[in-house]
Amino acid sequence: MRPAPERRRELLDTAAEVFAAQGYDATTVRRIADAAGLLAGSLYHHFDSKESMLDEILSGFLDDLWTRYDGVLAAGLRPRETLEALVTASFREIDRHRAAVAIYQKESGQLRDQPRFGYLADAQRRFEHAWLRTLESGVAAGDFRTDLDVRLTYRFVRDTVWVAASWYRPGGQHSPEEIARQYLSMVLEGIALRNGRRTRAQQAHTPRTHEP
């Protein structure tokens, strides 16, 4: 028989997948119990309500995220290195808490007004402050362009990173670190060749045109 903490973790993982797939309001305790292979009444031996399960799922994700973020922000890195480390930390948490991230994206808007989930609004403000401060510091330090709209950039980076939870699956072709590297390459370097320069391989694949 599995220890109670381990079983509790398994049940939370199951509940997170069901919430992410069906939505919190549409999910019943019976549906979670069915997915976990339990009778609905047996689930109440571990949790007093589906709200308690959701609370533990979201707070656990945010606690882990901020443990990583606080470590990055306290490391004394340059702004560009801080940005790179925050993006990498974010993808590692998507890998670890994919379903919780999906729930947060779908449900936090309506949940944050409820007293029990007031910490979601606090987390959002804290999240925004950390990213904006990093971008502003980068502009001031010369790491980023001086004409950068930091708030627009923050929204772009935030959305492009966290939307990955909608398609990412742990154990897939690319590791969280590799995905972070590719994202950072696109954000920081762009996707167009600079100064119109092209590799020999690209030139060889360019169709030739003939003058009349």
Side-chain angles (χ1 to χ4, degrees), residues 26-59:
T27 299
T28 64
V29 171
R30 180 178 294 278
R31 177 67 186 85
I32 297 171
D34 288 345
L38 295 174
L39 296 174
S42 299
L43 199 58
Y44 288 107
H45 291 303
H46 301 273
F47 305 96
D48 60 11
S49 66
K50 72 170 187 174
E51 184 181 54
S52 293
M53 286 184 273
L54 181 65
D55 185 7
E56 197 162 334
I57 290 165
L58 292 176
S59 62

Side-chain angles (χ1 to χ4, degrees), residues 21 35 41 90 99 121 161 192:
S90 298
V161 168

Side-chain angles (χ1 to χ4, degrees), residues 13-24 27-28 31-33 35-36 99 103:
D13 289 344
T14 299
E17 292 294 339
V18 177
F19 287 143
Q22 297 193 346
Y24 175 69
T27 299
T28 64
R31 177 67 186 85
I32 297 171
I103 297 166

Side-chain angles (χ1 to χ4, degrees), residues 6-25:
E6 182 180 332
R7 181 55 174 157
R8 184 183 181 87
R9 181 70 260 165
E10 291 175 352
L11 293 174
L12 283 173
D13 289 344
T14 299
E17 292 294 339
V18 177
F19 287 143
Q22 297 193 346
Y24 175 69
D25 288 338

